């Protein structure tokens, strides 16, 4: 990291070479057609330093569907806008169950375990909607600003596809509403949620957008989004809950706060140092990018930059 | 039973006297205002013999909200119209969980355990809707015909109240739809389901309407609704699944096939002999009428007419 | 039933012919070697009338391992000796889970759902041990007396095999002990339990032994074991809980109180009429004899003698 | 940390003053008498730097029952002796259930979720027993060597008390044995496990003993116990699983790998910097020391030494 561009370029090339045999293994998400059609041979990786300089390898400038990665940005905005009263409505414990489980929700009376399972993300979006009046637009503006890329945008086809296959999320939202844990009308909430999931970004965009977590809360323009303590907290929730029910495995192998999406992307943070993004569509059985996790594993092994 | 009207009248008076101390205990259903406002001091009981003669005591002619009792009639109609392919979409095992649980549904991939939990009843109504094009009207016509009372009708206030507090049922329906186990659009299905639950009937109406199960499948007009074997099967499902998660207790105390509703009513069947209905709004912790279960317990104890 | 021996013999022959194609299908219990070695082609069936006359077909006089069928006799003895305080320590609701599940036990603080799952049967044996000082001998004496067969006995090889593979039952017993729901030392309790499970009886023995439940509580010698009400209650628990997690299916198909064992036997009761026993070692996925359930299904279909 | 002893002493005094109001709140562990009798007003804290220098405050030299804290040392020894084949028998995902739950174990066929829930720790001890022939003595020797305190020892009264109230752990061990996931005889395994839990150490002892995890795997004598990668992995498992079902909360508030025990102790690691131990017997509802967690929270807030 400290050696500047030449070394970083070499590091990224080496990681890309190391994980090349894994690219194309795993299975792209199949629950919506718009994701199932993506070419599984993509691979890209980008690193952004604290000043916003980005280096990349492979398809690091190709936009893909960010999906659940957007949940970490929505969480940060909801905390920034509304403070920690959010935690009365959503927990911060890892879930032992798959990411869209209703079992847990029922055992805990409509309070999702954490903000990164789908139920928890719906609560976060509901809160952001109440706070801002337009949750998905607010999020999009933030991502454009932090990535420095005004072309970051919703993908209408993906959003429509999510909507069409949205019965599971509708079930989650109605179920929480039955416990009084949803403030906005369910159909409107689902619309914002599906738009949020559809946002398309590249590794370069995502690495830059994640820098406020490496900068202990400071945005690209130097203004403060989160207090140092809040930034620590978001990183902690990412580490313990950011990769579905494989968070323990991700911590064990990679040892960094990270948030994955079923589009095959992962954002990771080295507090005080840099932010990374990686993308390859083939997923393992728990919904995380096979080549993406391996690339981050190589990164922390080669650099020693794990938090542990 | 065999001694005719005078003895039956005496039997019903004695049961009413025996359970009088329990009337008003328990708690009326509170999840919708229309039910919470009912006077908890009501008590009525009616017995219909195989010829359709009915005797009663107390408020046996006062209509009340049949609620889940309608599920047994919807099941019979769906079997009569569509045959036993229904059982590919819903099980017939007792549920160890509360009646609207999503936990079980998730563990068993969207197939409800039995047709009397809410999820299973939604599948039955969905099936009836596909078979008839108008599930709730079909059911209403059937109940009018069997009870011999053309005034049996929907209660629009109750249906509206169910709709307003319908997030839990919406969650169940969307969740099963996500597994492909719902054929009709969820909003239309819910409408039919809420209308179905709202049907108001008296003990006299319900006892007569239940006679086809005592007559091994024959309707009031002598036509056959179910085969003898199908009637046996519906009675068996009532015995093992008809009283929420207290079916074992009900079998132990009463020993008859029975179906309860949160309006405080219960229908019970003595195969080959008679059908009974009882009503008192105060519910125990598992959703069954306190005085109603006690009255049926007294009935089988005094007459020896348990199936065991 | 009323036509006497000639008709019964014909009925049994017909049932045996009808189910012949199923004999040998399913899988004998494999968890202990002593059961796995039994020839799966056995089939026997016996009917005992209220006077103790028994008719049979096939291997109806061949002893086999009664296994869980003994649980119904242990329950009756514990109720007869100690009364219904037993129900403070074990429920009577059907279990939605496999018969030796710890999940349910944990959710309900060490109180098993019913006396026929393994955990519940351990509580019953523990109670019988406390009441009599020698639970397994007491049970053996009772079965010899009711069957009229002094040769009914423990199978030492089976008991040893159960003991050797007894970790699951040891886990259940220790787990309930941790909640204070076991009174005797766990190793002694397990010994009695394994002896109890090992008892070998024929269909003839079991049909006769089950008659007290058809006689509403009267033993073979005319003395009363259970009150009429208690006999009704045991029959009810058999119907709702007697065939593992297939009780709903058994009620639906057969419509009689019944108790099965993994040795391939089933005892069933027609209250006020007769008791039946059937045996064939091949089990379905839920632990009930394939040919045995089919034979009882044929019996109630041909005779109309279901309780429904 | 870098300012040396004077500053550290001041820091510890300040933390002790800040958490003073919390000392005595919460509830000491009550499941065994030997723990319930401890005076809840104890509080101690110690910090050990990489060279083994220790500073402390309060009761930092008073031995207490280490309980589950020993699990992290047993894990390190089992990995050091036997390598990562251990992970075929135990997972490394956080558990959403209380620490001694059998529910999870049943859902996952006898493979505990992680090495810090009781079931997982039993597997680790079983492995260590197979590898060394005397698991508890091996562990004691290690802790004496690393703490530099030859007086560290078993507490026979605590071990006897654990044994007497050991039904839950016996259930866990037998249950895993039924899945073939225990190699040694259950009674012998339980003995070693109860001895292990009974080890008494002070904050000074524990902080020193934890230093090998801050030193990326190097023991006090400079020899290597774990590879750098293995040390990272143990720290990761501590962070995600070390504080029962409050790991997310601990990561959020404290942001350090930590392992707690029901004796009221917690060990925490700042990789590359130092190890800490804190003790106060009053526990919160999830089994972690109230004042202990607060003290570590203050430590990372005041020093910024969280991993995030």
């Amino acid at each position: 990291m400290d050696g500047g561009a030449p070394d970083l370029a070499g590091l990224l090339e080496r990681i890309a070479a190391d994980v090349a045999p894994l690219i194309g293994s795993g299975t792209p998400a199949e629950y919506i057609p718009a994701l199932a059609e993506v070419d599984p041979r993509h691979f890209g990786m980008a690193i952004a330093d604290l000043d916003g300089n980005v280096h990349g390898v492979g398809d690091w400038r190709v936009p893909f569907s960010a999906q659940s990665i957007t949940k970490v940005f929505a969480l940060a905005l909801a905390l920034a806008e509304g403070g920690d009263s959010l935690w009365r409505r959503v927990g911060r414990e890892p879930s032992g169950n798959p990411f869209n489980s209703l079992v847990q929700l029922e055992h805990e009376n409509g309070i999702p375990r954490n903000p990164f399972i789908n139920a928890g993300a719906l609560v976060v979006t509901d809160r952001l909607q109440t706070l801002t009046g337009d949750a998905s637009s607010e999020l999009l503006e933030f991502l454009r600003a932090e990535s420095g890329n005004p072309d970051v945008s919703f993908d209408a086809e993906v959003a429509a596809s999510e909507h069409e296959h949205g019965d599971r999320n509708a079930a989650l939202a109605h179920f929480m509403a039955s416990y009084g844990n949803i403030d906005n009308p369910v159909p409107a909430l689902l619309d914002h949620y599906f738009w949020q999931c559809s946002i398309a970004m590249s590794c370069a965009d995502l690495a830059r957008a994640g820098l406020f977590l490496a900068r202990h809360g400071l945005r690209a323009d130097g203004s403060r989004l989160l207090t140092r303590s809040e930034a620590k907290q978001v990183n902690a929730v990412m580490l313990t809950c950011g990769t579905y029910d494989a968070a323990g495995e991700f911590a064990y192998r990679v040892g960094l706060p990270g948030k994955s999406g079923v589009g095959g992307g992962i954002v990771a943070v080295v507090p005080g140092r840099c932010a990374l993004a990686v993308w390859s569509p083939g997923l393992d059985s728990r919904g995380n990018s096979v080549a993406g996790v391996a690339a981050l594993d190589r990164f922390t092994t080669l650099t020693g930059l794990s938090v542990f």
Side-chain angles (χ1 to χ4, degrees), chain A:
Chain A
M1 283 304 300
D2 305 291
D7 295 298
L8 266 184
L11 173 67
L12 288 168
E13 291 297 340
R14 179 166 171 195
I15 293 172
D18 287 350
V19 304
L22 294 173
I23 296 170
S25 65
T27 312
E30 288 173 337
Y31 76 106
I32 57 169
L35 291 181
E37 289 159 10
V38 173
D39 185 338
R41 288 166 301 179
H42 283 295
F43 175 81
M45 187 171 186
I47 302 182
D49 67 20
L50 295 186
D51 297 324
N53 304 308
V54 188
H55 293 86
V57 70
D59 303 320
W60 65 298
R61 287 191 172 109
V62 179
F64 60 91
S65 194
Q67 295 288 323
S68 291
I69 299 175
T70 58
K71 290 171 183 168
V72 73
F73 301 108
L75 171 63
L77 286 180
L79 288 172
E81 299 271 352
D84 62 9
S85 64
L86 175 69
W87 300 116
R88 286 199 289 268
R89 292 179 49 193
V90 59
R92 29 188 197 238
E93 292 303 326
S95 166
N97 295 308
F99 64 103
N100 49 12
S101 175
L102 282 123
V103 170
Q104 173 270 322
L105 211 47
E106 184 163 8
H107 281 153
E108 299 179 19
N109 298 316
I111 305 293
R113 290 223 97 193
N114 67 62
F116 294 153
I117 54 173
N118 284 10
L122 283 162
V123 167
V124 171
T125 300
D126 182 59
R127 179 90 178 112
L128 193 58
Q129 176 67 9
T130 299
L131 290 165
T132 67
D134 189 349
S136 52
S137 298
E138 194 81 8
L139 179 63
L140 184 66
E141 283 315 302
F142 175 78
L143 291 171
R144 285 176 173 169
E146 296 307 297
S147 67
N149 180 359
D151 294 334
V152 169
S153 57
F154 300 125
D155 182 324
E157 185 194 341
V158 168
S161 202
E162 301 272 4
H163 196 278
E164 198 175 341
H165 298 81
D167 275 309
R168 191 68 71 101
N169 285 310
L172 290 166
H174 280 292
F175 193 60
M176 293 189 290
S178 78
Y179 285 104
N181 199 18
I182 293 294
D183 292 335
N184 294 281
V186 168
L189 168 61
L190 291 172
D191 278 347
H192 279 284
Y193 182 74
F194 294 142
W195 282 116
Q196 169 182 323
C197 291
S198 84
I199 292 174
M201 299 174 76
S202 68
C203 288
D205 299 331
L206 280 166
R208 273 207 199 93
L211 279 175
F212 74 97
L213 290 169
R215 287 191 214 102
H216 302 303
L218 294 182
R219 295 186 59 164
D221 63 5
S223 67
R224 182 164 287 284
L225 181 73
L226 301 175
T227 65
R228 189 183 176 101
S229 183
E230 288 170 337
K232 173 184 93 170
Q233 292 162 357
V234 173
N235 281 330
V237 178
M238 286 175 81
L239 190 101
T240 55
C241 314
T243 43
Y244 309 124
D245 51 340
E249 183 73 14
F250 188 83
Y252 177 92
R253 287 183 61 187
V254 174
L256 291 178
K259 181 73 205 84
S260 58
V262 293
I266 309 174
V267 164
V269 175
V270 188
R273 301 297 285 266
C274 62
L276 301 98
V278 61
W279 172 51
S280 192
L283 306 180
D284 61 27
S285 63
R286 294 190 285 190
N288 298 306
S289 169
V290 174
V293 173
L296 292 170
D297 180 350
R298 291 303 294 150
F299 172 81
T300 56
T301 301
L302 292 170
T303 63
L305 283 177
S306 147
V307 300
F308 305 117

